[in-house]
């Protein structure tokens, strides 16, 4: 697919926006590429857009072309501090749907206060890479169903890793789990990035809330990082998730960044 979608002048020359593929649009002015737009589908099925353009007028032309080609709803993510990008998406009819805060999470027990935290009675922590795969996948499905039935999975940190359709646990080795007697009741997923690991998910079954299991999982995970010389981890939390915000802030995590998810319906 490669056809001229629209033209519009930004100065002395016309800008031609071409849909180069199903998921990419190119803007060319006087034989120079002056912007591009891309669409990508997240594992949850939502379609996210990104536009990189030299000028606001070019951004608008690319956005118009994409919106003419793709069905809504469509989504975009911008940095909380990037007011120009947010304004550009708002000109295209996008509005704020949710906000996510990024936290720098210390691993030092004297800061987190987790050095003396132990799992509650009857609960053990199974380290990353040691969990049984079938029970782990079953727990993941239960937690997803519980979240979807309440706040909705869209309020969880964005998951962008490609995975086969129907698969939610891509790499079991990244999960530590909490086991109560003979069943898994909580999990934490960590992407072991070299400079600052990312805590991608921490969740506990609804019938095991308020027992200190999430804190025990964090104590285990951050303690393991500390022993390998890692000073801090990274985590993202939806601003509406009061329990998660309270948990991270109670262990000395500090807000360091933020993103806004925008939607056009």
């Amino acid at each position: 697919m490669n056809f001229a979608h629209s033209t519009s002048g930004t100065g002395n020359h016309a800008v031609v926006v071409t849909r180069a593929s199903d998921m990419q649009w190119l803007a060319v002015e006087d034989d120079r590429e002056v912007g591009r737009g891309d669409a990508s589908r997240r594992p949850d099925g939502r379609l996210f857009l990104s536009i990189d353009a030299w000028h606001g007028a070019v951004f608008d032309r690319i956005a118009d072309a994409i919106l003419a080609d793709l069905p809504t709803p469509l989504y975009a993510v911008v940095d909380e501090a990037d007011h120009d990008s947010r304004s550009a998406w708002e000109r295209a009819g996008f509005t704020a749907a949710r906000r996510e805060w990024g936290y720098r999470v210390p691993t030092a027990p004297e800061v987190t206060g987790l050095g003396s935290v132990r799992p509650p009675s009857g609960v053990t922590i199974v380290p990353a890479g040691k969990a049984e795969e079938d029970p782990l996948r079953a727990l993941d499905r239960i937690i997803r169903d519980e979240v979807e039935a309440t706040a909705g999975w869209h309020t969880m940190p964005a998951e962008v890793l490609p995975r086969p359709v129907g698969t939610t646990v891509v790499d079991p080795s990244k999960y530590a789990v909490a086991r109560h007697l003979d069943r898994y009741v909580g999990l934490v997923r960590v992407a072991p990035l070299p400079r600052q690991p990312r805590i991608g998910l921490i969740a506990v079954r609804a019938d095991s809330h308020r027992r200190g299991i999430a804190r025990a999982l964090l104590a285990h995970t951050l303690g393991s990082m500390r022993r390998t010389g890692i000073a801090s981890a990274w985590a993202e939390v939806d601003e509406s998730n009061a329990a998660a915000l309270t948990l991270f802030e109670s262990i000395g995590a500090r807000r360091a960044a933020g993103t806004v998810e925008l939607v056009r319906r």
Side-chain angles (χ1 to χ4, degrees):
M1 177 185 300
N2 195 322
F3 58 89
H5 191 287
S6 63
T7 62
S8 179
T10 61
N12 297 326
H13 303 281
V15 172
V16 179
V17 179
T18 302
R19 189 175 186 181
S21 70
D22 284 346
M23 295 294 205
Q24 186 175 79
W25 292 256
L26 301 179
V28 176
E29 182 179 21
D30 194 25
D31 296 326
R32 290 185 310 151
E33 183 180 317
V34 293
R36 66 172 55 203
D38 294 278
S40 59
R41 195 169 296 280
R42 294 278 177 89
D44 61 10
R46 293 182 297 160
L47 202 56
F48 278 74
L49 308 181
S50 64
I51 296 177
D52 182 16
W54 290 9
H55 304 290
V58 177
F59 183 105
D60 295 344
R61 300 288 78 74
I62 297 172
D64 288 344
I66 295 175
L67 292 172
D69 286 338
L70 298 180
T72 56
L74 296 169
Y75 298 84
V77 175
V78 298
D79 188 282
E80 174 73 21
D82 191 345
H83 302 296
D84 289 341
S85 290
R86 180 168 178 175
S87 294
W89 286 109
E90 288 174 344
R91 288 198 305 271
F94 285 71
T95 58
R98 60 182 288 264
R99 182 175 280 102
E100 193 172 271
W101 298 117
Y103 281 87
R104 188 166 287 111
V105 187
T107 62
E110 60 270 24
V111 178
T112 65
L114 296 176
S116 61
V117 170
R118 298 293 180 267
S121 178
V123 175
T124 57
I125 304 299
V126 181
K130 302 296 184 181
E132 297 177 59
E133 191 167 328
D134 287 344
L136 170 60
R137 293 185 185 279
L139 172 64
D140 181 80
R141 286 193 295 272
I142 289 169
I143 287 173
R144 284 173 179 271
D145 288 345
E146 290 177 344
V147 171
E148 191 59 45
T150 53
W153 193 255
H154 66 279
T155 64
M156 302 299 284
E159 296 179 274
V160 296
L161 293 176
R163 62 182 188 231
V165 175
T167 299
T168 55
V169 176
V170 178
D171 185 353
S173 69
K174 294 180 179 178
Y175 291 77
V177 302
R179 179 174 59 205
H180 179 239
L181 302 178
D182 61 349
R183 69 171 186 161
Y184 289 172
V185 296
L187 56 80
V188 58
R189 183 185 70 231
V190 177
L193 304 177
R195 296 171 62 181
Q196 191 172 59
R198 177 178 177 269
I199 301 172
L201 175 66
I202 180 166
V204 177
R205 284 182 56 141
D207 59 8
S208 296
H209 283 181
R210 301 186 183 280
R211 297 185 57 202
I213 293 174
R215 288 181 69 84
L217 282 165
L218 272 179
H220 166 84
T221 300
L222 297 176
S224 297
M225 293 180 192
R226 184 68 173 180
R227 288 190 289 274
T228 61
I230 295 170
S232 66
W234 185 259
E236 289 104 16
V237 184
D238 187 278
E239 71 168 353
S240 67
N241 191 338
L245 292 173
T246 298
L247 174 62
F248 279 106
E249 292 178 359
S250 74
I251 63 170
R254 293 292 177 262
R255 189 180 299 174
T259 58
V260 179
E261 184 179 286
L262 306 167
V263 61
R264 172 165 172 150
R265 301 190 184 280

